[in-house]
């Protein structure tokens, strides 16, 4: 891609995932168009960031963002990605003052040279002006920068029509999966207490732990499938069912049932539970949300969901596994058609055993921070 300074002579078409259009395209012809498109490509208006857009035949194959500053060597994860995705050209956009952005852009350009990838454009945007690291002609790229106005680009309108969204900042995106508050939180807290009481009563009363574990796991697997059907049909779990499912997901075999059945459309269920469940029961649902978002191409939401899970439980293995995949820019296709079936899980794990219940039992005596209603 060759960006024009200022008269356009060529264009870049980017492709991103969307629930409204399987292949929404944005045609970019100027630096302002690029700056207008980036927020829709990453989901929010970035600050103190480096954006790398990897292209092949003028179509975006990779869009990655890093907060600035970052340690030297951070971008080395891009090298296998360029090869895997067939990237032949990149566009770089850095947000912030020169001392923050330039080292990151320099590292990206060195990596591009090493991998024989063409740098079509490299911009720095700060306080309403942009600078190009590619163009050094003072007539079109003055030292004081070029003022830009995103409202003059048609990209925002095109992106909106195609179902793309750009929130004001990353914090706004974080709030979309933040814990609910107010009366809904109070109702969920009561439902969770009731679910805990019911589980403890059954566990205490059982004459045979093996029988209890078998029955509880069987009922929990059925809960997972029922919850997926409810959301696929446009419904929503009531507080009682949500709380019961939250407890059940603490059991690895039950959580893995949801994982192996994963579809992109399941993100709505796991997002709802990530917001509604009491914090100690949230990591499994947040990790499943991350998996669904990652599969759908929404790596930003996936990362935020994993941060939520790992803040609550830094050792949660599924969240750590997925975070490693995201940080190394692995493609979700590595898991497609490779997840075990429920039958294969049964064969690998064997029949339910009382020890399966320990992760849940260990959570029951914990206390969640109390949230005052709004």
């Amino acid at each position: 891609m060759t960006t024009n300074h200022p008269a356009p002579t060529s264009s870049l078409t980017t492709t991103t995932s969307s629930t409204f259009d399987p292949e929404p395209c944005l045609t970019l012809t100027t630096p302002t168009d690029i700056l207008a498109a980036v927020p829709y490509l990453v989901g929010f208006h970035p600050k103190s960031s480096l954006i790398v857009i990897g292209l092949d035949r003028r179509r975006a194959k990779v869009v990655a963002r890093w907060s600035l500053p970052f340690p030297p060597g951070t971008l080395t994860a891009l090298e296998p990605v360029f090869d895997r995705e067939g990237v032949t050209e990149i566009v770089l956009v850095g947000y912030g003052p020169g001392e923050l952005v330039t080292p990151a852009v320099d590292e990206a350009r060195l990596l591009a040279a090493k991998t024989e990838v063409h740098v079509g454009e490299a911009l720095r945007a700060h306080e309403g002006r942009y600078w190009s690291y590619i163009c050094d002609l003072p007539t079109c790229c003055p030292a004081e920068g070029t003022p830009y106005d995103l409202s003059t680009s048609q990209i925002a309108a095109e992106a909106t029509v195609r179902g793309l969204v750009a929130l004001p900042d990353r914090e706004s995106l974080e709030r979309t999966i933040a814990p609910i508050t107010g009366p809904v939180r109070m109702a969920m807290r009561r439902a969770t207490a009731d679910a805990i009481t019911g589980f403890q009563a059954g566990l205490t009363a059982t004459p045979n732990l093996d029988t209890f574990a078998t029955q509880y796991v069987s009922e929990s697997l059925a809960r997972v499938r029922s919850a997926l059907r409810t959301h696929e049909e446009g419904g929503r779990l009531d507080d009682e069912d949500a709380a019961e499912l939250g407890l059940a997901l603490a059991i690895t075999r039950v959580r893995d049932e949801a994982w192996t059945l994963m579809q992109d459309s399941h993100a709505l269920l796991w997002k709802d539970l990530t917001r509604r469940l009491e914090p100690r029961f949230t990591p499994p649902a947040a990790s499943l949300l991350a998996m669904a978002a990652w599969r759908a191409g929404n790596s930003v939401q996936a990362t935020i969901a994993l941060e939520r899970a790992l803040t609550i439980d830094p050792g949660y293995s599924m969240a750590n596994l997925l975070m490693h995949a995201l940080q190394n820019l692995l493609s979700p296709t590595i898991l497609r058609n490779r997840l075990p079936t429920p039958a294969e899980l049964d064969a690998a794990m064997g029949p339910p055993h009382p020890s399966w219940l320990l992760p849940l039992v260990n959570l029951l005596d914990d206390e969640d921070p109390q949230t005052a209603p709004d």
Side-chain angles (χ1 to χ4, degrees):
M1 169 198 167
T2 300
T3 317
N4 308 291
H5 300 276
T9 57
S10 65
S11 64
L12 159 70
T13 301
T14 67
T15 303
T16 63
S17 63
S18 168
T19 56
F20 297 94
D21 186 335
E23 196 171 273
C25 297
L26 305 177
T27 301
L28 315 181
T29 57
T30 68
T32 298
D33 285 345
I34 294 174
L35 294 170
V38 164
Y40 294 94
L41 297 179
V42 300
F44 61 93
H45 290 264
K47 301 174 184 176
S48 300
S49 302
L50 176 71
I51 312 297
V52 178
I53 305 172
L55 307 161
D56 178 42
R57 299 183 184 89
R58 295 184 177 182
R59 287 190 175 272
K61 305 297 290 293
V62 177
V63 179
R65 186 198 73 93
W66 288 265
S67 295
L68 297 178
F70 53 61
T74 295
L75 301 184
T76 55
L78 281 171
E79 189 170 348
V81 176
F82 288 168
D83 181 63
R84 182 187 74 219
E85 300 295 336
V87 171
T88 57
E89 182 177 358
I90 60 172
V91 172
L92 307 172
V93 185
Y95 292 85
E99 62 269 20
L100 186 68
V101 172
T102 300
V105 171
D106 287 345
E107 181 174 332
R109 295 178 73 182
L110 285 172
L111 178 66
K114 177 184 177 183
T115 55
E116 299 183 345
V117 170
H118 175 63
V119 180
E121 181 59 281
L123 300 172
R124 178 173 72 87
H126 187 53
E127 296 181 345
R129 292 177 178 269
Y130 70 78
W131 292 258
S132 173
Y133 291 92
I134 302 298
C135 174
D136 56 5
L137 299 176
T139 53
C140 66
C141 298
E144 67 273 16
T146 302
Y148 69 93
D149 181 359
L150 298 184
S151 66
T152 63
S153 172
Q154 294 298 311
I155 295 302
E158 291 182 22
T160 301
V161 168
R162 287 162 173 77
L164 303 178
V165 176
L167 296 176
D169 48 38
R170 193 176 191 272
E171 290 73 21
S172 298
L173 195 56
E174 290 171 356
R175 286 193 289 272
T176 65
I177 62 169
I180 55 172
T181 58
V184 179
R185 167 58 60 207
M186 297 299 104
M188 275 301 300
R189 185 162 293 142
R190 289 191 294 269
T192 302
D194 291 343
I196 290 173
T197 298
F199 174 82
Q200 290 176 323
L203 186 61
T204 301
T206 184
N208 187 308
L209 285 176
D210 287 297
T211 300
F212 179 82
T214 298
Q215 181 177 352
Y216 187 78
V217 170
S218 176
E219 292 174 352
S220 296
L221 294 175
R223 284 187 185 280
V224 170
R225 292 175 177 269
S226 175
L228 292 174
R229 286 195 301 272
T230 295
H231 269 257
E232 286 168 356
E233 295 168 0
R236 183 172 185 259
L237 300 185
D238 60 26
D239 292 341
E240 179 182 349
D241 286 338
E244 293 281 5
L245 182 55
L247 267 64
L249 290 171
I251 299 170
T252 301
R253 176 62 185 87
V254 177
R255 182 207 65 195
D256 286 354
E257 181 83 357
W259 194 352
T260 197
L261 296 174
M262 181 66 66
Q263 300 292 331
D264 299 350
S265 61
H266 296 172
L268 290 176
L269 169 62
W270 306 125
K271 180 179 180 180
D272 183 46
L273 289 183
T274 297
R275 301 201 67 196
R276 293 169 69 192
L277 294 178
E278 292 293 277
R280 59 184 144 153
F281 297 108
T282 298
S287 299
L288 290 166
L289 168 59
M291 178 66 175
W294 183 39
R295 283 173 51 100
N298 192 343
S299 294
V300 178
Q301 185 181 68
T303 299
I304 290 172
L306 293 175
E307 290 172 348
R308 176 86 181 281
L310 292 172
T311 296
I312 297 168
D313 183 357
Y316 195 67
S317 59
M318 181 182 178
N320 279 300
L321 175 65
L322 290 176
M323 185 65 86
H324 176 79
L326 287 168
Q327 290 174 339
N328 286 276
L329 303 179
L330 299 182
S331 170
T333 57
I334 64 173
L335 292 179
R336 291 185 188 273
N337 301 319
R338 297 185 184 181
L339 290 174
T341 65
E344 289 170 336
L345 285 176
D346 287 338
M349 298 183 69
H353 187 272
S355 63
W356 289 16
L357 305 180
L358 286 177
L360 172 56
V361 172
N362 291 338
L363 291 176
L364 299 184
D365 292 332
D366 293 345
E367 291 188 3
D368 294 304
Q370 299 297 301
T371 303
D374 287 347

